[in-house]
Amino acid sequence: MDGSGNAYVASWGSAGETVTKINAAGTSILYSVSLGWSDVSGIQVDSAGHAYVVGSVNAGQPDVAVGKLNPSGTAFVYAVTLGGSGSDEGTDIALDTAGNAYITGATSSWDFPVVNAFQPTQRGGGDAFIAKLNATGTALSFSTYLGGQGGDQANAIAVDSSGNAYVTGTTLPPNDTAIGSFPTTPGSAQPTVGGWLDAFVAKFDSTGSRVYASYIGGSAMEMGYSIAVSGSGIAYVAGLTESTNFPTTSSAYQTVLAPGDYGSAFVVQLSPTGNAYTYSTLLGGNSSDHVSSIAVNASGTVFVTGTTWSTNFPTNVYADAGSSDAFVTRFNGP
């Protein structure tokens, strides 16, 4: 939403990729435009009504595409591509208060453009990346790989009021986890790999220096899908787990997978320094439960949404109504 309460939606499919602006009352479409890209996967809006979008364009190999639309949707203020000789995918975008855009995704390119990089080279299997584009779209303030030798993808990014960037995604450890594993920080909430596929969370400051990085996961499979950050710099991560030993905290709403569960949502709150889970819970029923987005308000109340196939998903308002349902869940703040 922009400062006037207008809503912006980015979508893509067989009919093409579009950005649509809807008035605050929800009664009319102010504009709906096609970008001419291969896909669009993330959108953010500043208070003046500029829509910033990220996705991909196909230039032989897919490249990351980043664009800033003017408030009327009639033209790009800027549109740029990022990529190397391999496949490059932009998955999410966030803004700081100065209008700098932070982009994340995945790249298989050994020559992806890096600037002031924490990790200047790809380590193998495809890495996540984090890049900061200046407010005019003319230069990268920093751009870095993030990953080990097993394959990594970042799915979501959030930025706090100080310009610190927080990312989450999924990392596949190499066969030899002692060599080339995901670059976690000593003393982080989970510095060592939990299973064959783990979620991860990482924080970078406004200059691109790593602050902390941690695995999130048990002995089976985890994917980090969405991240939010509070005004005090506390990161909240939501994702999917299939681990019976997922690291929950004593205050968790749900500590074990339901019998027959094929995957449960998880919600994790990290400490300000990333050295501990201050809250970690499962959320699900007797089938698959996928979380797709998380948000946190000024008081620390957390909201998550996603899809459930469980007939006994924990609800207190509406009952199961079909083979799969959307859900929204609110967790109390601290």
Side-chain angles (χ1 to χ4, degrees), residues 153-224:
Q153 173 163 324
N155 294 320
I157 189 166
V159 177
D160 65 22
S161 58
S162 299
N164 299 299
Y166 305 74
V167 293
T168 190
T170 304
T171 177
L172 176 67
N175 292 331
D176 183 355
T177 56
I179 301 175
S181 56
F182 188 83
T184 58
T185 48
S188 64
Q190 189 177 330
T192 57
V193 66
W196 68 271
L197 193 71
D198 275 1
F200 71 81
V201 59
K203 176 182 178 180
F204 288 80
D205 70 17
S206 61
T207 67
S209 295
R210 185 188 61 173
V211 179
Y212 66 72
S214 177
Y215 290 108
I216 301 175
S219 57
M221 181 272 288
E222 280 78 29
M223 296 183 179

Side-chain angles (χ1 to χ4, degrees), residues 87 112 124 197 207 227 233 281-282 311 315 333:
S87 178
F112 190 84
L197 193 71
T207 67
I227 192 165
T281 188
L282 301 174
T311 57
T315 66

Side-chain angles (χ1 to χ4, degrees), residues 111-185:
D111 54 351
F112 190 84
V114 293
V115 177
N116 300 321
F118 156 73
Q119 182 183 323
T121 58
Q122 191 204 140
R123 300 178 71 190
D127 279 354
F129 73 85
I130 301 98
K132 178 181 178 181
L133 187 65
N134 69 6
T136 59
T138 56
L140 292 169
S141 301
F142 72 78
S143 177
T144 185
Y145 292 102
L146 178 66
Q149 291 183 342
D152 312 274
Q153 173 163 324
N155 294 320
I157 189 166
V159 177
D160 65 22
S161 58
S162 299
N164 299 299
Y166 305 74
V167 293
T168 190
T170 304
T171 177
L172 176 67
N175 292 331
D176 183 355
T177 56
I179 301 175
S181 56
F182 188 83
T184 58
T185 48

